[in-house]
């Protein structure tokens, strides 16, 4: 009789602990973007639902290991059998959709810069898919920064690392380049940089070519002379200390004292909250994933750090105080 009760308790416990949502991160929990969108997800998901996470760690690992990480993520999926898989950012979507497309689950992606429709057309199966796109607010950022610069300094360098997301973002910005040149009268140079040394040289060259500002994009996949990953925080700190011109950013994690001075930025938490809201609707049966259209994330907003702005003798635009 006792053994029967033990069996009943074990079955009940197993059912209580069943995973409802598995979040597969392209990157890692210490990366502020991931930390913020995970916070956003948990704010929207009621506590009775269980969430598990897996870090693919593709900001710190070489590309030849991405597929191995995806296989590990798929093994975690098979162990937990969640109802919903949230795929954070482009690498998770591109490596995991080929493995998950024919599973009877809902997939919600977030932070995706590329157009996912071609990938989805190639992998049509039982999974229902929706999500949130993310695009750097390029034109808004350049326009706002350009208004802060003197007339003889209407040139902006935009610096990205050579990661997958950076390449996609760079392509997106290239499409808008002519519009910026014509309508805003601002010259923009886009840089995709692989090494720490090239990053430093590109930044320091700003003092010699009439550059008025630098926009820091992504910088997490830079490597040193030995090809080893460089700590992202140290890159941003060095950039702040040695930049000959004001620094701005596209993402909230790059703005602050000792970082970039400001920008019209995207927020990881808002992406996470939207993914959490969609997931909650699916879990509670309000809508299926296929009934929820793919959407562009909530537009970012301008943020400025007054210490960094005062360092460069800049004053934030008036609208910033009334957002």
């Amino acid at each position: 009789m006792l053994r029967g009760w033990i069996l009943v308790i074990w079955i009940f416990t197993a059912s209580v602990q069943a995973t409802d949502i598995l979040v597969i991160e392209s990157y890692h929990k210490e990366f502020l973007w991931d930390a913020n969108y995970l916070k956003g997800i948990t704010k929207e998901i009621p506590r009775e639902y269980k969430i598990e996470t897996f870090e693919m760690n593709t900001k710190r690992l070489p590309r030849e290991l991405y597929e191995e990480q995806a296989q590990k993520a798929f093994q975690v999926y098979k162990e937990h059998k969640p109802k919903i898989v949230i795929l954070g950012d482009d690498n998770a979507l591109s490596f995991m959709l080929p493995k998950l497309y024919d599973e009877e689950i809902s997939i919600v992606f977030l932070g995706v810069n590329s157009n996912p429709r071609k990938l989805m057309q190639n992998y049509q199966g039982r999974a229902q898919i929706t999500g949130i796109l993310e695009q750097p607010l390029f034109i808004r950022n350049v326009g706002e920064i350009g208004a802060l610069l003197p007339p003889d300094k209407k040139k902006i360098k935009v610096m990205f690392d050579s990661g997958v997301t950076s390449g996609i973002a760079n392509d997106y910005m290239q499409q808008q380049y002519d519009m910026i040149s014509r309508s805003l009268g601002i010259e923009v140079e886009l840089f995709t940089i692989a090494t720490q040394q090239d990053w430093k040289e590109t930044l320091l060259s700003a003092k010699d070519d009439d550059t008025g500002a630098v926009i820091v994009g992504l910088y997490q996949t830079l490597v040193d002379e030995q090809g080893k990953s460089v700590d992202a925080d140290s890159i941003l700190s060095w950039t702040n200390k040695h930049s000959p011109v004001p620094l701005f950013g596209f993402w909230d994690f790059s703005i602050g004292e000792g970082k970039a001075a400001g920008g019209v930025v995207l927020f990881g938490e808002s992406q996470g909250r939207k993914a959490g809201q969609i997931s909650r609707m699916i879990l509670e049966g309000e809508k299926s994933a296929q009934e929820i259209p793919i959407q562009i994330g909530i537009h970012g907003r301008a943020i400025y750090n007054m210490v960094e702005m005062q360092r460069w003798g800049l004053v934030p635009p008036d609208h910033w105080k009334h957002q």
Side-chain angles (χ1 to χ4, degrees), residues 6-69:
I6 292 172
L7 178 62
V8 169
I9 292 171
W10 181 86
I11 292 172
F12 176 76
T13 303
S15 65
V16 169
Q17 295 300 312
T19 299
D20 296 289
I21 298 173
L22 172 63
V23 182
I24 299 178
E25 306 170 56
S26 289
Y27 313 132
H28 51 280
K29 291 185 181 67
E30 293 80 14
F31 182 33
L32 196 54
W33 172 261
D34 285 37
N36 286 341
Y37 78 62
L38 288 170
K39 180 168 68 174
I41 291 170
T42 56
K43 281 185 176 180
E44 296 294 336
I45 301 298
R47 295 183 67 178
E48 63 262 29
Y49 296 111
K50 186 179 180 185
I51 302 173
E52 295 284 350
T53 63
F54 179 87
E55 304 167 64
M56 288 182 65
N57 204 21
T58 62
K59 286 286 187 196
R60 301 185 293 198
L61 292 174
R63 294 188 190 191
E64 57 265 26
L65 295 181
Y66 290 5
E67 177 58 32
E68 180 181 327
Q69 289 297 97

Side-chain angles (χ1 to χ4, degrees), residues 46-193:
R47 295 183 67 178
E48 63 262 29
Y49 296 111
K50 186 179 180 185
I51 302 173
E52 295 284 350
T53 63
F54 179 87
E55 304 167 64
M56 288 182 65
N57 204 21
T58 62
K59 286 286 187 196
R60 301 185 293 198
L61 292 174
R63 294 188 190 191
E64 57 265 26
L65 295 181
Y66 290 5
E67 177 58 32
E68 180 181 327
Q69 289 297 97
Q71 290 289 356
K72 291 178 181 177
F74 188 55
Q75 184 59 42
V76 171
Y77 162 79
K78 290 192 290 185
E79 291 169 2
H80 289 280
K81 285 293 183 182
K83 300 169 186 173
I84 297 173
V85 175
I86 296 178
L87 299 176
D89 298 288
D90 292 270
N91 286 339
L93 179 65
S94 60
F95 279 88
M96 297 309 303
L97 187 58
K99 295 174 171 55
L100 296 171
Y101 76 98
D102 209 27
E103 300 288 317
E104 290 186 354
I105 56 171
S106 296
I107 294 174
V108 180
F109 60 79
L110 63 84
V112 167
N113 295 89
S114 60
N115 185 342
R117 295 196 181 278
K118 183 176 181 180
L119 185 66
M120 292 167 60
Q121 287 171 358
N122 292 337
Y123 295 100
Q124 297 184 31
R126 292 177 290 178
Q128 297 186 23
I129 308 168
T130 189
I132 308 105
L133 299 173
E134 168 213 353
Q135 297 288 1
L137 303 171
F138 187 40
I139 292 178
R140 286 181 60 192
N141 231 327
V142 170
E144 186 146 310
I145 294 166
L148 301 174
L149 300 178
D152 60 337
K153 294 287 185 180
K154 297 294 187 180
K155 181 177 179 180
I156 297 174
K157 288 183 185 289
V158 180
M159 295 171 55
F160 275 83
D161 61 26
S162 60
V164 172
T165 298
S166 293
I168 296 166
N170 200 294
D171 290 344
Y172 169 75
M173 289 184 289
Q174 287 282 3
Q175 296 169 12
Q176 303 180 57
Y177 180 81
D178 289 341
M179 184 188 306
I180 287 173
S181 299
R182 289 195 309 269
S183 62
L184 300 179
I186 298 170
E187 181 183 350
V188 178
E189 284 188 285
L190 303 175
F191 295 87
T192 302
I193 303 166

Side-chain angles (χ1 to χ4, degrees), residues 193-207:
I193 303 166
T195 70
Q196 179 184 33
Q197 186 59 36
D198 287 346
W199 180 275
K200 291 180 177 181
E201 291 175 2
T202 302
L203 180 77
L204 295 176
S205 70
K207 69 178 181 293

